[in-house]
Structure formats: structure tokens, C-alpha cells
Amino acid sequence: MAEKISAPKGTYDILPRDQPVRLWVEGRAADVFRRYGYGRLDTPMFEETRLFARGVGESTDIVRKEMYTFQDMGGRSMTLRPEGTAPAARAYVEHGMHTWPQPVKLWYHWPMFRYESPQSGRYRQHWQFGIEAFGSDSPVLDAEVIGVLATLYDDIGLAQVELRLNSMGCRECRPDYVARLRAFLEDRKGELCKDCRERATLNPLRTFDCKVEGCRAVMEQAPRLIDWLCPACAEHHAVVQRHLELQGIAYLPDHRLVRGMDYYTRTTFEFQSAVLGAQSGVGGGGRYDDLVETIGGPPTPGVGFRNGSRTHPSGIGAFPRRPAHGRGTDRLPSRPHRRGPGTGLPAGPRAPPAGGRGGA
RNA sequence: GUGAACGUAGCUCAGUUCGGUAGAGCACUGGAUUGUGGCUCCAGCGGUCGCGGGUUCAAAUCCCGUCGUUCACCCCA
């Protein structure tokens, strides 16, 4: 026998038994997005490399060392998309969506590619749901986007998630704050770990993430971005919170919450699950008011979220879920019957959730 | 990129401590039985023990390397 060939490192096959859950989740998501007025967008799986370099940010790890970049036959540098917001923004500009009624609301379910070393819930190709709303800087829209994700989680019965909320400020107030933070870190340099001393110059906001006890103690006394927002950002943040409360969405203010892309401004948020170990983020997002302009479009604010398949190839399927309630008829389908015509049809609406790898 | 654990039939694993040329259950195939393709019973198929070196009379078992998986760090979905 010839040498066996297996799926590339960090990738996985999605077998017939996984499809019912997958289709069910996508169906639920599509339904929620539709109810909120989002239309589906599909873009190519690869884009010109400079779209991500500019959109995601040259200083991010994604752009610096995690992209699947290749040269096509015409000598152009192309990259398998590592995230969805930049391509969506590109499509917004390319198709003149600024002439559509604003905000333009888009959703997608796409595979993403990152050259990382795989570990729990982290793959080289994974699927993400996302929504993006372009063309409105209203804080009410931020709260709505968070509401969409909360509704989706509620709809599929995802349990034990909590929402963390922060504001990253804008190009007016963040630079001032970062300078202030840098000065603080420089001052306390001696008390920081080796990693943090590097972070202090490269990406000072990340020093808040450090798990080293000494660093945590120092960072307790560090200036907090949330305290140094400009009046406009502070007001924006306050309105977002008020509208979360109006929707009855519980959240935890977390001034240390920093997400991976450079494009975030003002609102950032993340739903986390206590049961996922180190990879606790389930989904999150935020506002990106400068992104469209950065990639060559007209100044256009935007806000969105993405939800990654953290634990299971079939997507959200393996997350812990609440028991099905009596009236919610559209619960998760069970695995198809062993025998039968081979259609893989769900057994029925009342089947209990099945979790775990390969389950359901 | 760093560290640790692991890698034996399609699947879940035993065997590795104290080296002696591979086992179980499930699945699959065939048969018996049975008013179903269900149950039970019988039989069978199936592994160069991830790969490559080394030590040894002899390696799944010890040593080195390599690839892969998992978990953690980094970072992040």
C-alpha cells in the first residue's frame, strides 16, 4: 500500500453524522439574522494580501505570522481569508453599498484560515458566523448587534456564557491613553515579567492579559482606558450599556478586554464560557469606525461580531446547552437513525442535546 | 515559535514497569436460529504496534530522531 495521506494539520473532515447539527445551527442562525434584517453575503475565500495587511493591521499576529499567503500564476500576492470583516468591508466599498439604505446589514458563515499551532478549539481552518452592520455610528446599533448574538445563543440553547463589555476609545482618545499606559509600564518595568516588558513597547494593552501574579498586581494600579475615554466615547459607551439593559442583557464590564484586530474602536465585547478552559471566547466583536476608510472607502462606521467554532467541527454543536424546554419545539436534532432510507433525517424535535466530539 | 503527555485492528483500549516476533470489546463479513436487515449463538475478516534509525541473539516494549494528535504558553475564534 502506498503511504497514507491524512487531512492537513489543524484541519478536520465534517462527516455525514455531523451534518444534521451543522445544518440545524446554521438554520437557526440564518433565521435570527433574517429577523434582525441581515442579508447573507458570500465573498471569495481568498483576497489580495494587502486587504488584510491594511484592514486587520500590520502589527497583529494574524498578519505578521499566521496568514496563508501565496503568489498566484500572475505574480499577485493572495491570502486565504483569516477573518471576515475586512472582506465584508471590501465588498461594501466595491459594490457602492454606501448608496443603499443605511445601515447595510450583512451576515456570513465562512471558513477562515490561520497558520497557527493547533490546540483545544483552535484549527487552521475553521468556520465562523458573523454579522457586520455598516453605515451607522449609533450606539443603539452596538447594543442591537450584541442582542443578535445573545438571541442566537439563547435560541440554540447555549448555556453558561457571560458577556464582557469594554470600550477601546477612538483615534482621538486612545493614543493619549496608550502613551499614558506606556509611561506607567516604563515606570514599573522592573516589576514586570519578560513577556510584559516586550508587550509594553509592542502592544501595551496586552499587558492586562498577563497571567503572572506580579504583573497582575502591577496592572491593578495601571491607568484604565475606560477612565480616559473622550466625552464622545464615554457617552457612546453609556448609551450602549443603557440599551443592553433595556434588552435585558446582563453584562460584565471588563476594562481589560482587548480583542485581536487593530481595527476595533469604541465598543468591544466577548461572550465567554467558563467550561471551555483556556480558549474561553465563544464569540465577540465590536465597532470598527475607521476600517472602511483604511481600505480605501468613504469614511463609514461599522459594528459586528463573529462566532468561532471553538470546540467542535460541526460548529456550536458541542457546547453545553440548557435542557430543552417543553414549548421550544425546535430543539437540537438527535443523530439520524441507524437504519432507514439513509436520509440522515433528524429523529424528532424532542431529542435531547448530544455533546462531545463526534456526538450527534 | 516554546513546554508536557500521548501515537497498538475502522472505533475504544489492554499489553510497555522486569525486551522473547500481538489481544479484547464494538464495528464489519459469512453461517445457524428467529415470521424483519432486531436478539442470541458459531465462525471469519482485520495490525510491517505512526515513521526512520540505534542497542540487543531477540524491541510494541529500551535509546535517539522525525511526523502527527492532545493540552498548556504565546496569541486568539
Side-chain angles (χ1 to χ4, degrees):
Chain A
M1 262 210 313
E3 196 186 342
K4 275 191 207 164
I5 300 173
S6 52
K9 181 171 179 163
T11 67
Y12 50 83
D13 298 314
I14 304 174
L15 303 179
R17 67 174 180 203
D18 295 324
Q19 299 295 347
V21 169
R22 193 179 158 70
L23 286 171
W24 181 82
V25 171
E26 191 186 79
R28 301 309 301 163
D31 193 51
V32 171
F33 300 154
R34 186 187 50 73
R35 290 198 322 255
Y36 278 90
Y38 288 78
R40 183 164 190 165
L41 172 72
D42 285 294
T43 66
M45 252 179 248
F46 60 94
E47 298 271 0
E48 285 192 47
T49 300
R50 54 189 182 151
L51 171 66
F52 300 115
R54 266 152 63 180
V56 177
E58 301 276 8
S59 70
T60 59
D61 273 32
I62 293 180
V63 171
R64 287 196 302 143
K65 48 191 189 194
E66 296 174 1
M67 294 207 299
Y68 274 97
T69 296
F70 61 96
Q71 207 172 63
D72 72 8
M73 299 293 211
R76 292 168 285 253
S77 180
M78 298 290 171
T79 293
L80 263 35
R81 71 176 159 222
E83 62 95 50
T85 306
R90 194 222 79 226
Y92 177 88
V93 175
E94 186 162 342
H95 299 281
M97 294 188 201
H98 63 281
T99 66
W100 299 8
Q102 307 289 302
V104 174
K105 296 172 160 187
L106 307 166
W107 75 271
Y108 53 80
H109 186 204
W110 293 342
M112 307 295 178
F113 305 84
R114 292 190 202 170
Y115 193 83
E116 295 185 89
S117 109
Q119 67 174 74
S120 175
R122 192 160 79 186
Y123 301 92
R124 290 187 170 179
Q125 176 179 346
H126 76 281
W127 287 75
Q128 274 183 29
F129 287 108
I131 70 174
E132 316 289 350
F134 294 96
S136 166
D137 60 4
S138 168
V140 178
L141 191 58
D142 303 31
E144 184 192 279
V145 164
I146 294 171
V148 173
L149 193 48
T151 302
L152 175 60
Y153 289 158
D154 188 55
D155 218 51
I156 59 178
L158 194 58
Q160 297 179 53
V161 287
E162 61 180 27
L163 170 63
R164 288 169 186 273
L165 184 72
N166 192 22
S167 174
M168 301 294 292
C170 61
R171 53 183 154 187
E172 300 298 322
C173 51
R174 184 157 30 154
D176 289 347
Y177 166 75
V178 170
R180 195 173 295 274
L181 179 60
R182 277 216 169 90
F184 170 84
L185 293 170
E186 180 61 31
D187 209 39
R188 308 290 292 266
K189 206 171 178 175
E191 301 167 59
L192 299 173
C193 72
K194 185 167 155 289
D195 285 343
C196 281
R197 264 174 273 159
E198 255 171 58
R199 289 190 185 106
T201 50
L202 214 71
N203 200 346
L205 287 173
R206 285 285 174 199
T207 48
F208 283 107
D209 294 340
C210 191
K211 293 174 177 82
V212 177
E213 197 53 51
C215 296
R216 296 189 75 107
V218 172
M219 296 316 290
E220 282 295 311
Q221 298 158 35
R224 312 188 320 167
L225 175 51
I226 202 80
D227 298 325
W228 291 93
L229 296 176
C230 62
C233 286
E235 168 65 12
H236 185 98
H237 195 53
V239 177
V240 171
Q241 295 180 71
R242 197 178 317 137
H243 279 263
L244 284 178
E245 282 149 25
L246 281 173
Q247 292 180 81
I249 296 173
Y251 63 91
L252 228 60
D254 182 356
H255 80 277
R256 296 176 309 178
L257 176 65
V258 175
R259 292 182 54 83
M261 323 295 171
D262 278 357
Y263 51 62
Y264 284 115
T265 55
R266 293 190 166 173
T267 308
T268 55
F269 64 92
E270 191 166 292
F271 284 86
Q272 300 184 350
S273 170
V275 297
L276 286 185
Q279 307 293 322
S280 61
V282 181
R287 181 162 276 286
Y288 40 84
D289 290 340
D290 304 328
L291 173 63
V292 175
E293 204 176 345
T294 304
I295 61 164
T300 309
V303 57
F305 73 66
R306 54 245 82 234
N307 179 96
S309 53
R310 272 292 193 203
T311 63
H312 190 266
S314 62
I316 292 172
F319 285 119
R321 284 180 296 273
R322 296 187 310 261
H325 3 80
R327 269 184 303 146
T329 50
D330 200 9
R331 307 317 298 179
L332 189 69
S334 76
R335 63 193 315 156
H337 269 299
R338 174 67 184 74
R339 300 289 175 187
T343 57
L345 287 173
R350 301 187 52 230
R357 192 183 182 90

